[in-house]
Amino acid sequence: MTALELARRGARVVLACRSRERGEAAAFDLRQESGNNEVIFMALDLASLASVRAFATAFLSRVVVVASAAHRRGRLDFTRLDRPVVGWQQELRAYADSKLANVLFARELATQLEGTGVTCYAAHPGPVNSDLFLRHVPGWLRPLLHPLAWLVLRTPGGGAQTPLYCALQEGIEPLSGRYFANCHVEEVPPAARDDRAAHRLWVASKKLAGLGLGEDAESDEDPHPEDSGTPSSLSSPHPEEPTVSEPYPSPQSPPDLPKVTHRIWVKAEPEPQAS
């Protein structure tokens, strides 16, 4: 629904999908329904860092990170970021932890992009009634939850509104790095606005992704490592509002920036990540 609405509004839409067959079929359907021929497929397998790098090399945009209100229950253990997950309880915990990481990532990315003219946002679509909701629910429980989902969850179209807002709304550039829900910026708990933890996560992610440490290496050293029960916000020296990027591009910005900032990547069928 996000991709369809973007296409209807005249945007050039890229469907970043793991399956070429399903991605190209979805792009065809969207072109037919929207009347916009600028809907294309690009291969992206988030389980393959080689695929991610190849995609990122070819694609720039305003960046919209799909987050969740579940980040409020998240806690990051930097000694076990790549731990295996077994059992539904650990899966729920890992999901909340990953969404906290999403919010912190958007915060740090805004700092890294400051002055480039590229902005980023963490967007919570809300509880959405889609196939994703019931995919990992035990079979015996689905008949009970299915009617409930229709009563209390949003339609996919409703869930698309906040990501659309972050992708298209003019004037929110000074809010780069912030968390949005219901098409409004929302404050996040201390663990999700911890600049020290956000930068530490950035450095750890670069290391896990094999991107090298560069000048950030020393910042990942912590004389007091966290245990599995300690929140990521230890003793943040920066409780103030998050750093945001400049609302206008710098002289070094790409010449076609006005065009690329109207693009957004959308997965046709996202797979939930365990961690």
Side-chain angles (χ1 to χ4, degrees):
M1 293 303 299
T2 300
L4 177 59
E5 187 61 29
L6 284 168
R8 284 174 173 167
R9 298 188 188 192
R12 180 173 183 263
V13 181
V14 175
L15 298 181
C17 310
R18 182 182 59 224
S19 167
R20 175 172 296 275
E21 179 182 0
R22 299 182 69 179
E24 290 182 342
F28 176 82
D29 291 342
L30 289 173
R31 289 193 294 268
Q32 294 292 106
E33 189 166 350
S34 67
N36 182 348
N37 288 325
E38 288 291 301
V39 180
I40 64 173
F41 161 82
M42 287 181 65
L44 174 62
D45 182 356
L46 294 177
S48 166
L49 289 177
S51 176
V52 171
R53 294 188 185 107
F55 179 88
T57 300
F59 187 82
L60 298 173
S61 70
R62 181 179 284 193
V63 180
V64 180
V65 179
V66 181
S68 168
H71 79 271
R72 300 181 185 277
R73 303 190 303 273
R75 296 179 298 180
L76 294 186
D77 176 5
F78 284 94
T79 66
R80 303 178 65 224
L81 289 178
D82 57 349
R83 65 188 182 277
V85 177
V86 180
W88 67 270
Q89 289 181 314
Q90 287 192 27
E91 289 178 358
L92 290 176
R93 169 55 58 192
Y95 179 78
D97 294 349
S98 72
K99 293 307 174 183
L100 173 59
N102 286 155
V103 177
L104 289 170
F105 172 82
R107 185 180 181 89
E108 178 65 17
L109 182 60
T111 300
Q112 298 286 337
L113 293 175
E114 187 170 2
T116 67
V118 181
T119 56
C120 61
Y121 312 90
H124 173 42
V128 178
N129 184 13
S130 69
D131 291 341
L132 184 62
F133 173 67
L134 294 175
R135 181 181 301 166
H136 298 284
V137 172
W140 63 268
L141 193 55
R142 293 179 187 177
L144 299 176
L145 292 181
H146 195 271
L148 182 63
W150 283 101
L151 291 174
V152 302
L153 300 183
R154 297 178 181 178
T155 64
Q161 296 311 303
T162 298
L164 284 168
Y165 182 87
C166 291
L168 300 174
Q169 183 65 32
E170 296 182 0
I172 64 171
E173 292 83 359
L175 298 174
S176 181
R178 299 289 293 275
Y179 171 82
F180 283 75
N182 296 315
C183 297
H184 290 90
V185 66
E186 284 193 0
E187 294 302 322
V188 294
R193 59 175 187 265
D194 186 336
D195 287 330
R196 178 168 172 258
H199 185 69
R200 188 180 179 195
L201 178 65
W202 179 273
V203 174
S205 298
K206 287 177 63 176
K207 182 177 180 181
L208 289 171
L211 295 177
L213 299 179
E215 298 178 356
D216 297 324
E218 293 184 3
S219 63
D220 195 35
E221 297 296 327
D222 192 336
H224 304 290
E226 298 162 298
D227 58 33
S228 60
T230 304
S232 64
S233 97
L234 296 175
S235 55
S236 174
H238 305 293
E240 66 272 8
E241 290 299 305
T243 303
V244 297
S245 60
E246 294 295 327
Y248 302 105
S250 67
Q252 291 79 26
S253 300
D256 60 340
L257 183 66
K259 179 174 69 175
V260 301
T261 54
H262 285 80
R263 302 179 188 173
I264 182 174
W265 70 265
V266 182
K267 287 195 70 181
E269 185 184 9
E271 290 285 350
Q273 299 298 309
S275 60

